[in-house]
Structures are given as C-alpha cells and as structure tokens.
Amino acid sequence: MQAHVNGGAGVDLFGFAGARADYNITSTAGGGYAVLPKNGTASAMPQLVNFELFKFSDTTVNVEYDEVVQALYVAYFGRAADAGGMRNFQEQLSKLDAPHDIVGINSAYGSNPALRQLIDSFGKSAESDALYPDGVGAFVSAVYKNVLGRSADADGLAFWSKAIDSGALSQANAALSIMAGALENTSPQGLLDAKRIDNTLAVASDFTLALDRPTEIAGYAGKLAASMVRAMLATVSAETDLGPFQAVIKQMLSVMAGELNAVFGAPPPDDAMSAPLQLVGVAAADWGDAPM
C-alpha cells in the first residue's frame, strides 16, 4: 500500500531534487497527488495529500484551486485547462480568497461580485458560446451531455430550464450550477453523476499536469488541440478505469508537440477541424446537438 503524507491545513510545500520535466505528476483517489521520477527510481514515494505547492529545482507547481479551475474549464469549454489559464485563474481565485470546492464556488456566486464576474467570463466567452447551442432547452441538454455525460432526464431538463427562464439562474452560471447540483445529489443517479464528474476532473487534471515541456505547452492551443481533449474527456464515465488515460495523454501530447507528425502526418489547420478527433483506443462521444 502506498504511504500517505498529509500536509494538513494551510498552503503546504513539498520539495524535490530534480527539474520539473524529470517528474510525472498525477492525481490520485482521495484528492492527493503522486509525484514520481520519470526514470522510475523512486516508486515508493508517498502519495501527497493537502500539499498545494510542489517545488522542483527549476520551478514550483501550484495545485491549489486545481479542481476548481478544471471544473470551470470542463463545465464551460468541455476541455482541460491549458497551463497559462491554470496559472491565471489560480492566481485570481487566490486573490479573491475563493472557496476551494465546486459547491462552495457556486454558492459564493451570488454574494461575491468579483467571483461572479470571473465565472461569467467563462459563461459568456466565445469558446463557451461555440460549444453550447442557442435556446434554453437545447442549452441545458448540451450541458448535461458535457458535464454529466448523459441525456437530460425530463425532470432535470424542466427544473433547470425553468430556473433560467425565470431569471432565478443566469445562463452564464448554469453549467457550474448543474455540476454543483449533481455533486450534492445523493440519489443513485446523483451518485453516478458525481463519480463521472470526479473522474472527468481527474483526467483533466492529469492532462494539464502532464504539460511539462515548452513544446507541449505551446502545442495545446487552437481548435484542433481543444477538440482532441474534448473528445477524450467525453469518453469518461462513472465506471471508467483512469489508468489507461496516461498512455492516451502521452500520445496526444506527442501529437500536439509535433513529435508524431512523421507517423500521422501534419495536423490540419484549426479551421478545418469541425468535429472531435477520433483517438486511438478511445471511442468518439455522442454530443447530440452541441456544436464543437
């Protein structure tokens, strides 16, 4: 059994001797992280829980607000955060002293104007507008597909549509509210939805944390790269074994960094990509009416 080291309350730092690119950082069950050398020489290193900063010889990786930022990216863009976006929104959330959980962020939306403005910037963005269709019913149905990975049930569709139509819920905050509502729902379906969300955010986190080289960071840009990650996350379910996604992420990053062009050919221009890329070993998801 892997040992656990718990940093406890506050912002805690754990140091490593090598450079950032010498280590793999992956999320683990229970909200922790595994930080292991890529050469495999220290497989007995502990799982780190409640550590927010990982210090390497050349940089420090911040995972504070990692889950919240990933939740915003998944809810509004259907994809994992890019490295620059993760840093930017972590800094903004920290300055706002925002809650560290999704339900807390959603609850604070109505009472914290600065936080509301930040969340609205996601909901009203061009990328979110391109992902979700017009019309309240179609919009709610697409949010269910993206956030919960399933079609909206009649009661859920009616509830959220009415909330938006009545003005009780802004459409800019609807995707996050539907995600938070699922996490608080203790019904059998709610528990499945919550597990699907947890698994999706874990894969999204692992993808962003795997961006540890300049070519990968630069490669995760544009519609093609976004559609690749969107397609990968759409395959996640409540029952998904997350282990195989490490190999998928590694291959995707090699493609984005231009290292597999000799095998697959140069990627098409961004504008030519209007549907999710079919990944090797990963089935394409049914997005219904939601545009990509």
Side-chain angles (χ1 to χ4, degrees):
M1 179 180 292
Q2 187 179 22
H4 289 63
V5 176
N6 196 319
V11 177
D12 300 282
L13 180 147
F14 198 99
F16 300 87
R20 166 67 182 93
D22 295 333
Y23 291 82
N24 288 318
I25 306 175
T26 57
S27 58
T28 61
Y33 294 87
V35 186
L36 301 176
K38 292 182 179 179
N39 61 18
T41 59
S43 59
M45 291 188 70
Q47 175 183 334
L48 304 175
V49 180
N50 291 323
F51 280 91
E52 291 72 32
L53 302 173
F54 303 138
K55 183 174 177 58
F56 301 93
S57 61
D58 57 343
T59 190
T60 298
V61 174
N62 183 1
V63 295
E64 186 180 17
Y65 290 110
D66 176 79
E67 181 184 60
V68 169
V69 176
Q70 293 294 358
L72 290 169
Y73 268 77
V74 167
Y76 291 103
F77 303 154
R79 64 177 176 89
D82 53 274
M86 174 60 73
R87 287 194 302 271
N88 177 41
F89 290 110
Q90 281 176 320
E91 291 173 0
Q92 293 191 58
L93 290 165
S94 180
K95 289 177 181 177
L96 295 174
D97 195 25
H100 288 76
D101 64 287
I102 301 161
V103 173
I105 288 285
N106 185 60
S107 297
Y109 177 88
S111 59
N112 187 325
L115 181 61
R116 180 167 61 251
Q117 183 177 12
L118 177 64
I119 294 172
D120 285 352
S121 72
F122 279 85
K124 297 177 180 178
S125 68
E127 185 172 2
S128 185
D129 186 59
L131 178 63
Y132 291 121
D134 294 328
V136 172
F139 169 79
V140 172
S141 295
V143 171
Y144 265 71
K145 283 280 190 179
N146 178 35
V147 173
L148 305 183
R150 64 178 176 87
S151 298
D153 55 278
D155 289 343
L157 178 60
F159 175 84
W160 293 109
S161 297
K162 181 179 179 180
I164 295 172
D165 284 333
S166 68
L169 175 68
S170 71
Q171 188 159 320
N173 190 41
L176 185 64
S177 291
I178 291 173
M179 179 181 284
L183 292 173
E184 292 185 294
N185 186 347
T186 58
S187 71
Q189 182 61 61
L191 295 176
L192 286 174
D193 290 339
K195 182 60 177 175
R196 197 268 178 178
I197 292 170
D198 289 343
N199 284 347
T200 303
L201 297 184
V203 175
S205 176
D206 286 349
F207 179 87
T208 303
L209 289 169
L211 298 168
D212 57 15
R213 295 183 297 152
T215 53
E216 294 170 348
I217 293 171
Y220 184 34
K223 295 178 183 178
L224 172 59
S227 70
M228 290 172 66
V229 177
R230 206 171 279 134
M232 175 183 68
L233 295 183
T235 67
V236 179
S237 70
E239 297 81 20
T240 296
D241 177 6
L242 302 186
F245 278 94
Q246 295 303 318
V248 175
I249 289 171
K250 183 177 180 180
Q251 183 185 40
M252 288 172 62
L253 291 179
S254 294
V255 173
M256 291 178 190
E259 296 164 359
L260 295 185
N261 284 351
V263 178
F264 293 100
D270 275 350
D271 290 342
M273 194 65 185
S274 60
L277 184 70
Q278 174 68 51
L279 303 179
V280 176
V282 179
D286 177 13
W287 279 86
D289 295 329
M292 298 303 295

